[in-house]
Amino acid sequence: MTDPFRYDFGGASNLPRLRISLRIFGDDLDPSFLTQQLGVAPTESGRKGEPNLSSRPGAMSLWETGAWIYRLSVRSDTEMGDALDELLAAMPQDA
């Protein structure tokens, strides 16, 4: 499984950062089906056993389970509640 905190999103390391994502996992998860149902393209996705293209350069890894991940980029001065509102606003209301 991917670690969402291994990514460097830039900026000084002594500044607090807010990272927010919606992550859905499951051995039988079909990311394409979920994308079609939600109408939102994931930031990262894969089926169990497929190559994980977001792994470290030069390192080959496979998805341990199916994954559909949508990460939201937020400014460093964004309040957590506002970031959550932005995340939910990106998702369909009837899904």
Side-chain angles (χ1 to χ4, degrees):
M1 187 171 352
T2 1
D3 177 2
F5 299 106
R6 74 182 173 150
Y7 299 99
D8 179 14
F9 292 102
S13 61
N14 61 346
L15 294 176
R17 289 186 256 183
L18 176 62
R19 298 178 186 163
I20 189 163
S21 62
L22 173 62
R23 302 167 15 136
I24 302 171
F25 297 99
D27 284 349
D28 297 325
L29 183 91
D30 179 354
S32 298
F33 177 77
L34 191 55
T35 298
Q36 179 184 12
Q37 294 299 303
L38 292 175
V40 177
T43 309
E44 184 177 356
S45 66
R47 285 177 165 258
K48 181 178 181 176
E50 287 182 343
N52 183 343
L53 303 176
S54 65
S55 61
R56 289 179 291 129
M60 175 60 177
S61 69
L62 302 177
W63 285 101
E64 295 175 21
T65 189
W68 188 96
I69 303 166
Y70 178 79
R71 286 190 187 85
L72 182 66
S73 298
V74 294
R75 295 187 347 238
S76 60
D77 62 344
T78 304
E79 296 289 328
M80 187 181 303
D82 294 335
L84 185 55
D85 288 344
E86 284 184 48
L87 178 68
L88 294 175
M91 299 296 133
Q93 298 300 313
D94 62 348

